[in-house]
Amino acid sequence: MKNSKKLLIIISAFLLLTGIAFAVFHHSGSSSDVKIPDGYIDKTGNTDAGKDLDEYCFYTYDAMPQLSEEYQLVTADNIDRLYSDIRDYEVQAGQGHFSDKVTEGDYFVTVYYDQDGNVIDYSRKTNVKIYYYDTEMNTLHYVYYVF
């Protein structure tokens, strides 16, 4: 009886500490995706739907974070394709609704994938990840969608 109480206390303490550690890590404002900068203060959405499901999430920051070198400045030369990619997602998934926020001076990364998960050049009707940082709202929108 005494040993079972000790075992129960040890198991309970382990579960409590594991839960606390998960909560701290999960809400610490860091992501395993290097294109999602650390330091966000809020995260809304789903980023673990799996490779065959659409995902949308946005991250809010107090100030503009350090973006990876992969980010490009939104310019007159690339805004139409970016808008089109985001709009395709919004129409297909029925969510997101941030294409109207796309403006020159913001930042983005777009990565296209084939059905096997290999990175490819731009192609319509392919899988795509979009990271769009809105400098006015200090918000990073992350989209992954599958055609």
Side-chain angles (χ1 to χ4, degrees), residues 5-143:
K5 276 188 175 182
K6 283 182 182 180
L7 183 60
L8 182 60
I9 290 171
I10 291 171
I11 290 172
S12 297
F14 173 76
L15 292 174
L16 178 65
L17 291 175
T18 302
I20 291 171
F22 175 77
V24 167
F25 174 75
H26 186 68
H27 297 288
S28 67
S30 66
S31 169
S32 61
D33 188 332
V34 297
K35 291 178 193 72
I36 299 173
D38 291 342
Y40 54 86
I41 57 172
D42 190 31
K43 172 186 168 190
T44 304
N46 182 17
T47 57
D48 58 2
K51 74 177 190 101
D52 296 326
L53 299 172
D54 296 336
E55 299 175 346
Y56 172 67
C57 190
F58 62 94
Y59 301 81
T60 305
Y61 295 83
D62 279 333
M64 185 169 172
Q66 179 67 42
L67 300 174
S68 75
E69 292 179 9
E70 296 173 80
Y71 277 83
Q72 301 175 50
L73 184 65
V74 178
T75 65
D77 294 333
N78 58 30
I79 196 168
D80 289 339
R81 184 189 296 176
L82 175 61
Y83 175 84
S84 177
D85 287 341
I86 293 171
R87 192 69 193 125
D88 286 347
Y89 167 75
E90 291 172 342
V91 168
Q92 175 182 310
Q95 63 180 354
H97 309 297
F98 66 96
S99 60
D100 60 332
K101 295 179 181 10
V102 174
T103 58
E104 291 181 34
D106 289 336
Y107 294 88
F108 76 101
V109 176
T110 305
V111 184
Y112 303 96
Y113 298 89
D114 65 16
Q115 296 301 325
D116 297 323
N118 301 309
V119 175
I120 60 172
D121 289 330
Y122 173 76
S123 172
R124 301 287 293 162
K125 305 299 182 197
T126 188
N127 303 341
V128 64
K129 282 187 180 182
I130 302 168
Y131 303 82
Y132 173 73
Y133 188 82
D134 181 334
T135 57
E136 185 178 323
M137 300 300 295
N138 283 324
T139 302
L140 175 71
H141 298 266
Y142 164 76
V143 168

